[in-house]
Amino acid sequence: MKHEAIIDEPMVEVRDLHVSFGKGAGAVRAVNGVSFALRKGEVLGVLGESGSGKSVMLRTLLGLLPAHARTEGTVTVAGQPVLSLPPDALRRLRGSTVAMIFQEPMTAFDPVFTIGRQIAETIMRHDRVGRDAAMKRAQELLELVAIPSAKGRLANYPHEMSGGMRQRAMIALALACRPSVLLADEPTTALDVTVQIQILLLLRRLQAELDMAVVFVTHDIGVAVEISDRIGVMYAGRFVEEAPIEALVDAHAHPYTRGLLASTVHGQRKGERLETIPGAPPNLAALPPGCAFAPRCRHADDRCRAEAPEPRVVGPSHVARCHHLSAGR
Amino acid sequence: MLTFVARRLLHAIPILLGVSMLVFGLVQMIPGNPIDLLLPPEAPPELIAQMTAAYGFDKPLHIQYFSWLGRTLQGDLGYSIFTGAPVARELMSALGNTFVLAVPAALLGFALGVGLGALAAFHQGTWIDKAASAFAITGVSLPHYWFAIVLVVIFSVTLNWLPAQGMGFEGLPGSFAEARSLVLPVVTLSLIPMGVVARVVRATVLEVLNQEFVATLRAKGLIDREVLLHVLKNAAPAALAVMGLQFGYLLGGSILVETVFNWPGSGNLLNLAIFRRDVPVMQATIVVLAFFFVLVNLLVDIAQAAIDPRIRR
Ligand SMILES: Nc1ncnc2c1ncn2[C@@H]1O[C@H](COP(=O)(O)OP(=O)(O)OP(=O)(O)O)[C@@H](O)[C@H]1O
Ligand SMILES: [Mg+2]
């Protein structure tokens, strides 16, 4: 793993990322030391409960945080230091090399412009082509994501499409400038299960065809397993465990991961949050000094409550943060 | 879209009919009889009866209404009781005079209002926001006539740059020199539309900026100008609604501003007609103004539908 990483530069590299909103004691600490590296063609699933900092982490990768957010650490995407990039360089990176897909395709499109126009303007901005050429490319993109009668759909407004079709159009928009990194924030959560599967298959196919590095955020472990090569389990703004998919399913080391996997056994339905682990998600404005999961953990002892566990290697490319590693099995 | 326009046009008809009834009814309720004002108190009863019959005031109200409506629809607005001149001519000239103020005042007020509102919203919470918002609020809360007088004192009396009063032309200004008399009243009249539009644009732009799609626009790597275009187009329907109302008010003319600048506009005309109990002038002025009001709002409806496809149904 280490060896390979040297051969091809990672497309995304995050080191000890911290993101907080507000100052002092009341600050909301949304991301608390996330590190990972992602190579070309690799899919990292980021799995976590609502409020665990997934969206904030993902938006940081594209420099999309509001002005009052405070960041620490380094984020390198496609060789660019995102956190220290001047606005203009950041803008050129967005939508071209790095693209993003949002959770709610209804609200992610501007309601008063046509789909074709919204895809074409991205192409015109980055590829410096005229409107006709951009529209033609937009049509090809809609065909690529298997939207029937693509030419006619260009003139549609977002509200004239079904949810699944809008999400396909969103994917088409994201792929408009052939990005090498795709950031997806729960792109299937708002969809029906059957549509959800279609969109996942589509994403998987396009990811392989275009050899994209993908960070795929989800709270649905079934979806994460379906699409990812590796999974990072996020809790209170940290990766508590990160592992290749087989290792995570078969040899997970963290009690929280085990809780998540157990919750799927009871059959998770669409839109249902991961709730089978007793207790509530931590308050990000008042995190405990020790392990953030300790208040909900059956194995927690005094050490867990006093001292935050450091990441420990469990197996090949498999890391977990826990004082009782074997307890997760 | 065409069916939408057609339907809106049809909707306007009952509104206009209702307005005409209301206007007619309200004017009837004004205390005081125009004939009494016109004739000396010692006039013989036969003369009063003769005059009353000549103006049709002796007929039942609904007959009066329908004959007035019929004449109005044919463009016959009657004659002023006070001056005897055709109402249509007086009204045309007064409305025209108000128009040459209202159009530039609206353009100025709307442009400043959109600019200030958008500026404030994009810099929410900063000193730019506070300064722009303070400016807008000052605009709506300053007493109009007082501001007009201050302008006159500064620019006419002290600096002697601009005329203090009067139009100095008929119809449209023929030259820049003639247009100078427009400057002070136009600036005064633009204040309220500026302030009102700025407030609505600020609130609407803030609402739009909070919508998810703005994140998409930034994630697409659009430049600020392109993001601004998206945001403004989304904010436009709400802004247009207040602009339509404000333009309607401007067409009504401001009695105070027209008095300060001695401007023979529709505000002056209506004011005078009320004092003189000049029923035909009053009715015609109000009905024509109401017609413009309905027309402007109709245009706003159509513009909104053209901008936002979700409105067309
Ligand atoms: N702009 C912001 N200002 C202040 N706090 C914020 C902001 N954005 C997010 N947060 C806080 O950061 C924390 C993490 O939010 P985030 O949206 O990343 O969660 P998430 O894991 O994506 O959850 P979900 O599954 O519900 O989308 C939350 O407590 C949230 O309140
Ligand atoms: Mg989220």
Side-chain angles (χ1 to χ4, degrees):
Chain A
M1 171 74 209
K2 275 255 166 61
H3 184 64
E4 285 170 27
I6 294 164
I7 293 170
D8 47 344
E9 276 283 291
M11 288 307 295
V12 180
E13 193 171 22
V14 175
R15 259 198 224 138
D16 201 23
L17 177 67
H18 292 256
V19 182
S20 59
F21 300 96
K23 289 179 205 164
V28 174
R29 301 183 190 287
V31 179
N32 298 294
V34 167
S35 303
F36 66 87
L38 191 64
R39 284 168 299 140
K40 200 163 186 244
E42 216 181 2
V43 180
L44 172 71
V46 176
L47 184 65
E49 285 172 305
S50 181
S52 55
K54 308 183 297 290
S55 296
V56 171
M57 190 272 286
L58 201 66
R59 282 172 185 228
T60 314
L61 299 188
L62 210 44
L64 280 176
L65 292 179
H68 66 282
R70 301 150 72 82
T71 54
E72 268 172 60
T74 56
V75 174
T76 315
V77 179
Q80 306 282 325
V82 169
L83 295 182
S84 57
L85 220 50
D88 227 37
L90 190 57
R91 198 185 48 63
R92 277 196 298 273
L93 194 68
R94 292 172 178 163
S96 60
T97 317
V98 191
M100 192 142 179
I101 305 177
F102 293 91
Q103 172 170 347
E104 233 315 327
M106 181 70 236
T107 52
F109 276 112
D110 182 337
V112 305
F113 284 87
T114 61
I115 295 288
R117 164 81 197 261
Q118 296 190 55
I119 297 176
E121 71 182 344
T122 312
I123 301 168
M124 284 158 69
R125 165 74 10 229
H126 294 293
D127 291 357
R128 307 235 157 243
V129 298
R131 175 162 302 215
D132 290 347
M135 271 298 184
K136 197 161 161 294
R137 172 111 180 90
Q139 186 187 329
E140 290 164 11
L141 284 160
L142 292 189
E143 282 159 5
L144 180 72
V145 298
I147 289 183
S149 51
K151 195 179 170 79
R153 289 293 179 182
L154 286 175
N156 272 182
Y157 287 93
H159 73 279
E160 294 169 331
M161 291 182 154
S162 69
M165 205 182 292
R166 269 196 297 265
Q167 197 56 293
R168 284 171 190 270
M170 192 77 222
I171 294 170
L173 170 63
L175 300 182
C177 298
R178 300 179 188 80
S180 38
V181 179
L182 185 65
L183 308 174
D185 192 353
E186 311 211 30
T188 58
T189 305
L191 305 173
D192 293 340
V193 182
T194 45
V195 184
Q196 193 170 341
I197 293 165
Q198 291 169 6
I199 297 285
L200 280 180
L201 291 175
L202 175 70
L203 269 176
R204 190 80 239 210
R205 175 169 69 78
L206 294 169
Q207 181 272 329
E209 272 173 30
L210 301 173
D211 206 20
M212 290 182 290
V214 177
V215 182
F216 192 104
V217 161
T218 179
H219 66 263
D220 184 332
I221 196 162
V223 169
V225 168
E226 190 62 46
I227 192 120
S228 318
D229 300 316
R230 281 190 295 141
I231 289 185
V233 178
M234 203 160 176
Y235 191 82
R238 273 196 192 108
F239 278 10
V240 291
E241 182 161 10
E242 190 197 339
I245 203 87
E246 310 78 34
L248 193 96
V249 174
D250 300 334
H252 43 270
H254 200 285
Y256 180 61
T257 312
R258 192 175 60 165
L260 287 182
L261 284 164
S263 71
T264 55
V265 175
H266 302 291
Q268 217 205 342
R269 269 167 287 133
K270 187 226 159 206
E272 194 180 296
R273 298 274 154 167
L274 302 165
E275 283 170 339
T276 36
I277 302 166
N283 176 2
L284 296 176
L287 286 174
C291 172
F293 186 58
R296 296 168 75 184
C297 184
R298 279 194 292 133
H299 310 280
D301 54 23
D302 289 345
R303 185 173 169 219
C304 296
R305 282 182 278 271
E307 180 190 328
E310 287 302 312
R312 278 161 51 189
V313 175
V314 190
S317 328
H318 186 170
V319 185
R321 284 172 185 256
C322 182
H323 293 306
H324 305 276
L325 275 177
S326 52
R329 302 269 159 93
Chain B
M1 186 72 199
L2 266 179
T3 43
F4 175 85
V5 173
R7 223 179 26 223
R8 275 305 140 106
L9 278 171
L10 282 179
H11 276 252
I13 292 173
I15 295 178
L16 283 171
L17 269 181
V19 166
S20 74
M21 272 182 223
L22 209 66
V23 169
F24 186 84
L26 284 178
V27 169
Q28 295 303 318
M29 287 193 313
I30 294 177
N33 182 335
I35 308 293
D36 292 345
L37 280 166
L38 212 57
L39 297 173
E42 64 277 9
E46 306 87 68
L47 187 59
I48 293 177
Q50 197 189 333
M51 286 290 279
T52 309
Y55 283 101
F57 291 148
D58 57 341
K59 306 236 174 60
L61 264 189
H62 64 277
I63 304 282
Q64 282 191 45
Y65 169 70
F66 281 115
S67 72
W68 167 74
L69 186 65
R71 277 182 279 123
T72 304
L73 284 179
Q74 291 164 25
D76 173 11
L77 300 180
Y79 293 87
S80 160
I81 294 179
F82 199 82
T83 63
V87 174
R89 209 172 59 207
E90 282 191 26
L91 188 56
M92 281 284 274
S93 123
L95 261 181
N97 294 342
T98 295
F99 235 86
V100 290
L101 289 186
V103 172
L107 291 180
L108 180 68
F110 296 167
L112 281 176
V114 171
L116 283 174
L119 195 70
F122 274 93
H123 296 92
Q124 190 198 7
T126 67
W127 66 268
I128 298 180
D129 178 16
K130 291 189 182 109
S133 300
F135 193 72
I137 289 172
T138 314
V140 274
S141 32
L142 275 184
H144 244 146
Y145 57 92
W146 175 83
F147 184 73
I149 292 169
V150 169
L151 285 182
V152 166
V153 168
I154 298 174
F155 291 99
S156 309
V157 180
T158 313
L159 296 171
N160 199 19
W161 287 352
L162 296 165
Q165 280 204 333
M167 275 180 67
F169 59 86
E170 256 174 60
L172 290 171
S175 66
F176 271 118
E178 286 185 358
R180 289 190 323 148
S181 62
L182 286 173
V183 176
L184 296 185
V186 163
V187 168
T188 311
L189 287 173
S190 70
L191 279 186
I192 289 189
M194 185 267 295
V196 173
V197 170
R199 262 199 314 213
V200 170
V201 166
R202 179 180 181 275
T204 316
V205 166
L206 279 181
E207 204 183 297
V208 175
L209 282 177
N210 272 325
Q211 287 179 33
E212 186 71 11
F213 77 81
V214 179
T216 311
L217 296 177
R218 299 212 189 281
K220 293 200 301 190
L222 296 188
I223 60 175
D224 287 351
R225 185 162 44 81
E226 290 164 329
V227 175
L228 182 72
L229 175 75
H230 277 271
V231 172
L232 286 185
K233 191 173 177 191
N234 274 273
L240 278 172
V242 285
M243 287 180 187
L245 288 178
Q246 288 298 316
F247 189 63
Y249 298 150
L250 282 175
L251 284 185
S254 155
I255 292 170
L256 292 174
V257 174
E258 287 182 5
T259 306
V260 172
F261 291 105
N262 193 18
W263 200 274
S266 48
N268 250 331
L269 181 70
L270 191 58
N271 194 27
L272 222 53
I274 291 170
F275 273 118
R276 294 167 172 171
R277 304 286 186 279
D278 200 339
V279 172
V281 176
M282 262 190 273
Q283 280 173 343
T285 310
I286 300 176
V287 155
V288 169
L289 285 177
F291 171 78
F292 275 113
F293 213 88
V294 172
L295 183 74
V296 168
N297 278 297
L298 186 72
L299 293 179
V300 165
D301 275 356
I302 293 171
Q304 284 177 325
I307 289 168
D308 189 340
R310 291 167 301 177
I311 298 176
R312 289 169 225 161
R313 252 173 287 137

